[in-house]
Amino acid sequence: MESPQPAARTSGPVRGAPHAVTVGADGARVVFLRSTGPHDPAAGLWSFEVDSGEHHRIADPTVLLGTANTASAGNTAGAGITRYATDPAARVAVFVLAGRLFRADLVTGDVIEVPVVGSVTDARPDPTGSRIAYVSDSDADPVGPAGATGGPGGEGPGGDGSVRDGSGKLRVVHPDGRDVLLAGEDGDITWALPDPAAVDFGRNRGYWWSPDGQSILAARADRSRLPRWQYADPARPQRPARSRPYPLCGGPNAEVTLHLLDLDGGWVDVHWDRETYPYLVSVDWSDGGPLITVLRRLQQHGLVLSIDPRTGETQVHAELADPRWVEPIPGTPCHLSDGRVLVGGELAHDGYDARCLFADGTLLTPAALYVRRVVGRLPGRHTSPDLLIEASDGEPSEQHLYRVRTAASSGGLDAVRLTSSPGWHVAAVGGAVLAVGSATLDQPGVRWTICRDDTELGVLRSLAATPAVTPRPTLQRVTDRRLPSGVLYPQSHVAGRRLPVLLEVHGGPGHQQVRAERAAWLARQWWADAGFAVVTVDNRGTPGVAPSFEKVVHRRLADVLLADQVDALTAIAEKHPDLDLGRVAVRGTGFGGWQAGLAALRRPDVFRAAVARDPVTDWALLRSGYAERFLGLPEEGGEIYPHHSLVEVAAEPVTGSDQLRPLLLVHGLADDAVPVAHTLRLSAALLAAGRPHAVLPLATGTDPDAATVLRAELAFVRQALGPLG
């Protein structure tokens, strides 16, 4: 069996593989990140010139930081360039390394460091490429257009450009080198950063340039009402505990406002009913003017609003409503070239069960498509530009690219599939040029091809290592609910030999596990080669099938998810007689860790052991935007939250030895994922009830630790299930 080291690297970009791909608006240039090979963790900035087919390394993080500074920069230098931003034409790129700001001329290849104030995050050039806005954690010159103050603390930048604890102040560097503070305040108020709830809506930024580069639409978040949570590393007791503002389920949220800031110092406040619609879900500012999506706290009703940049007044363009929760489509809303507003929504009447796109209320996509994301625009075959979207059509394990006509036509809806190979396809677009990333079960990694119309112009070279194993999962739909599933055998398996089963449950709402791409099965193959039949099931609640499939879990996640996993196991065993359902273990991380713990506690007749990695222990302790979407408000839910709490289930009396299944709690895989107090509280409940379990605390964030924990998990499962054969 292979070393677990490759299986331990299950998150982040693959070393040496192109990622974070951008295509300039004129289609002349493709920009991407890539390290120099499988042993280099530090990604650099690269370009691909479409006309010549040449690759150019624009920025090498090791050269930019220098040998002497790399050690002092710490782990942020080792990650290399993790994110960048370009002007629309992709002539200029800016990025952050170890808290320092760099500007790259993508035409000449010149890279310069830009002097800044404080440590930098989320730097973005204006649409002309002449100015750079950035968020600083510096406390210098604290002023703010809104003139407010707050308490201590704040969420700000890390040295790699990510958002961490600190204070956020918005600054602009002008062509003459002037560095001007545009907005910033002392206390627990941040500017131009995503507020704590934004992550639950996929919004990872807090400011947006106007198309002419003369003003910025910026978010201000007052987090003074939020409780602060302490995070400590039990494996590193000498490391000081950290705290951060946290929007606790059922408690107060950050107060988020929007402001139009002119570069000359003027500003306009944006007005909407923030008491009724407190969540700022998305922002888009294109030639048609700013558009925002706002949601009520329970997320069952929302508005798409246009903003008048002169007055800050808003106008309703569309209403979004669902008795369960509203799920906006990434890439919407936005203006089409004819002035209509593109909005994502759902059809749930007259027999339809679809996730679709609408332009001013007119349906654009066929009901058979499950639209996942709007990528951008392509030159139209008619009078108006077409849309490029990522969607699924009947097979949720696959994602394809489609060209959608936006021009009105008597011929009905028109969506043409552009990708043919079964697999998972993503894209970036600029002008008529497409960068298509294709991952399939037949090839390792993601292959990025550059094409115009139907002609391939080049390939973004991958320098990643080819995995030593070739997983060959069997993908099929099971039960009367047609649950997507996959089964993976040891590479040396001989038919007729009975195998214990490892059920992998890493998925949750908004996250699929059963995908027709090889990378999704590499880590699972390590477990299979250890002697298991590895089974993965996308229970109801996961995307890709239909809105009703996804949202049936509303306020009853635990019952639906567990019933689907158990029923799927039974159905799969009927098709795969080598699976020994008398020896089943379950393993998951985060939300999947909660599922794994729940499975062992609620269904000990099915599951003989569980590995819960950084599990959600109590839904009442989660962020408000996430937990309340699925379970509602704690004070209105009766027994819903206790029913979903591992701590409450663990404390239930044990009436027989057949209810006792060993549970391994792994804490610390992800930095600050779960406060250690939560894991210890669950352990105390298990101990008090006499339930067998072990706790494995980890020093976070290192590959050797991840490989070590895999071995520990394997030893635990082997001991619980007995000899594997």
Side-chain angles (χ1 to χ4, degrees):
M1 188 178 71
E2 264 203 10
S3 161
Q5 196 71 25
R9 297 193 186 112
T10 56
S11 63
V14 176
R15 295 176 180 180
H19 59 279
V21 178
T22 301
V23 183
D26 58 2
R29 180 174 298 106
V30 180
V31 189
F32 60 99
L33 298 178
R34 185 184 64 193
S35 73
T36 58
H39 303 295
D40 180 10
L45 184 68
W46 296 73
S47 72
F48 173 84
E49 301 299 318
V50 173
D51 287 342
S52 66
E54 296 178 346
H55 289 75
H56 299 287
R57 181 159 65 175
I58 303 297
D60 182 342
T62 305
V63 173
L64 292 176
L65 290 179
T67 305
N69 290 330
T70 299
S72 62
N75 291 336
T76 58
I81 302 171
T82 59
R83 55 194 293 185
Y84 67 93
T86 71
D87 65 315
R91 294 177 174 271
V92 172
V94 298
F95 56 90
V96 177
L97 274 173
R100 296 156 56 184
L101 177 60
F102 295 86
R103 180 187 187 276
D105 186 321
L106 298 175
V107 178
T108 65
D110 294 334
V111 179
I112 61 170
E113 182 172 359
V114 180
V116 294
V117 177
S119 184
V120 179
T121 187
D122 198 16
R124 298 178 185 272
D126 78 345
T128 70
S130 59
R131 302 178 185 87
I132 302 172
Y134 70 92
V135 182
S136 168
D137 68 350
S138 168
D139 291 328
D141 303 325
V143 299
T149 59
E155 186 174 11
D160 57 357
S162 60
V163 176
R164 296 180 187 163
D165 241 17
S167 59
K169 295 175 172 59
L170 179 62
R171 308 185 69 96
V172 174
V173 180
H174 291 263
D176 60 4
R178 288 180 298 122
D179 188 327
V180 178
L181 178 65
L182 202 59
E185 300 173 58
D186 287 334
D188 210 359
I189 294 173
T190 63
W191 278 88
L193 288 172
D195 60 276
V199 64
D200 295 316
F201 303 104
R203 180 169 65 81
N204 60 1
R205 57 191 293 189
Y207 72 94
W208 300 263
W209 279 102
S210 64
D212 62 5
Q214 296 300 309
S215 58
I216 291 177
L217 182 59
R220 174 184 182 271
D222 181 349
R223 305 170 310 164
S224 58
R225 299 189 306 161
L226 300 186
R228 298 190 71 90
W229 272 19
Q230 298 290 326
Y231 292 82
D233 188 342
R236 295 173 176 171
Q238 74 281 5
R239 180 181 179 182
R242 290 160 291 169
S243 69
R244 64 176 50 173
Y246 192 87
L248 188 64
C249 176
N253 280 321
E255 295 183 7
V256 180
T257 56
L258 275 177
H259 308 267
L260 290 150
L261 310 177
D262 293 333
L263 298 188
D264 61 5
W267 73 85
V268 174
D269 300 333
V270 177
H271 304 285
W272 80 91
D273 184 357
R274 292 188 293 107
E275 290 295 323
T276 305
Y277 299 94
Y279 286 134
L280 177 64
V281 175
S282 66
V283 179
D284 176 78
W285 197 348
S286 56
D287 290 335
L291 291 170
I292 63 174
T293 302
V294 295
L295 286 180
R296 294 191 179 197
R297 174 143 187 170
L298 286 181
Q299 305 170 48
Q300 295 167 335
H301 192 271
L303 301 175
V304 174
L305 304 173
S306 62
I307 301 172
D308 185 335
R310 299 167 301 170
T311 66
E313 297 300 322
T314 56
Q315 178 181 349
V316 177
H317 264 282
E319 292 191 40
L320 309 172
D322 191 295
R324 299 150 302 186
W325 71 86
V326 169
E327 187 81 39
I329 293 177
T332 67
C334 65
H335 283 101
L336 299 178
S337 61
D338 58 9
R340 291 181 297 167
V341 175
L342 182 72
V343 176
E346 296 171 359
L347 280 179
H349 57 80
D350 298 332
Y352 291 106
D353 189 9
R355 191 160 155 84
C356 308
L357 294 175
F358 301 85
D360 280 359
T362 300
L363 182 65
L364 293 183
T365 52
L369 282 186
Y370 182 99
V371 179
R372 296 177 183 268
R373 183 172 78 101
V374 176
V375 179
R377 302 179 189 177
L378 285 167
R381 296 161 294 172
H382 307 282
T383 57
S384 302
D386 293 338
L387 293 174
L388 178 67
I389 68 170
E390 297 165 353
S392 297
D393 183 4
E395 178 45 66
S397 68
E398 298 180 14
Q399 175 175 282
H400 290 276
L401 303 178
Y402 293 82
R403 175 196 287 266
V404 176
R405 184 177 61 201
T406 63
S409 170
S410 59
L413 305 178
D414 184 11
V416 178
R417 190 166 121 176
L418 304 180
T419 48
S420 56
S421 301
W424 200 266
H425 304 270
V426 297
V429 62
V433 173
L434 282 178
V436 179
S438 298
T440 72
L441 290 171
D442 297 325
Q443 68 182 32
V446 180
R447 184 177 188 269
W448 282 94
T449 58
I450 312 303
C451 52
R452 183 188 293 116
D453 298 326
D454 295 325
T455 303
E456 184 175 308
L457 305 175
V459 176
L460 302 185
R461 292 193 296 270
S462 176
L463 306 177
T466 300
V469 298
T470 303
R472 302 191 183 281
T474 300
L475 306 185
Q476 56 195 153
R477 309 283 289 274
V478 296
T479 80
D480 58 347
R481 281 144 276 168
R482 291 183 48 76
L483 304 172
S485 70
V487 180
L488 200 59
Y489 288 99
Q491 295 180 94
S492 60
H493 178 64
V494 176
R497 182 184 178 189
R498 299 274 282 171
L499 294 171
V501 178
L502 178 67
L503 179 67
E504 289 265 333
V505 287
H506 292 285
H511 191 66
Q512 280 184 253
Q513 289 297 303
V514 181
R515 292 170 41 156
E517 59 169 322
R518 186 177 294 182
W521 303 91
L522 288 173
R524 296 169 192 158
Q525 187 64 60
W526 182 84
W527 281 94
D529 289 342
F532 298 92
V534 178
V535 174
T536 300
V537 178
D538 279 343
N539 45 250
R540 286 173 293 171
T542 53
V545 177
S548 64
F549 185 93
E550 190 171 353
K551 297 182 178 181
V552 70
V553 298
H554 190 235
R555 303 205 175 194
R556 54 193 191 112
L557 268 170
D559 297 335
V560 173
L561 271 57
L562 190 52
D564 281 358
Q565 294 288 340
V566 171
D567 291 349
L569 271 176
T570 302
I572 290 170
E574 293 176 355
K575 300 174 181 290
H576 297 264
D578 287 352
L579 272 61
D580 183 358
L581 293 193
R583 293 189 296 163
V584 179
V586 57
R587 174 180 179 267
T589 303
F591 182 94
W594 169 73
Q595 280 186 275
L598 194 70
L601 294 171
R602 284 256 171 88
R603 293 302 304 268
D605 57 317
V606 177
F607 301 99
R608 296 297 188 264
V611 177
R613 300 154 50 95
D614 284 340
V616 173
T617 61
D618 188 342
W619 279 74
L621 299 176
L622 293 182
R623 291 187 305 270
S624 55
Y626 184 80
E628 293 168 12
R629 179 184 308 159
F630 307 115
L631 302 185
L633 290 169
E635 62 268 26
E636 298 176 357
E639 294 299 313
I640 291 178
Y641 276 83
H643 185 69
H644 286 75
S645 169
L646 287 185
V647 176
E648 296 287 343
V649 178
E652 293 175 359
V654 176
T655 58
S657 60
D658 58 344
Q659 296 183 4
L660 301 177
R661 300 303 183 200
L663 172 61
L664 175 63
L665 302 177
V666 183
H667 177 88
L669 286 163
D671 195 29
D672 291 356
V674 178
V676 65
H678 295 189
T679 303
L680 296 180
R681 180 168 169 248
L682 173 57
S683 175
L686 292 166
L687 187 64
R691 298 181 184 273
H693 74 287
V695 179
L696 179 60
L698 301 174
T700 60
T702 60
D703 275 344
D705 286 339
T708 300
V709 77
L710 283 176
R711 295 189 183 96
E713 291 172 9
L714 176 59
F716 176 86
V717 173
R718 279 177 166 166
Q719 182 177 6
L721 297 186
L724 301 187

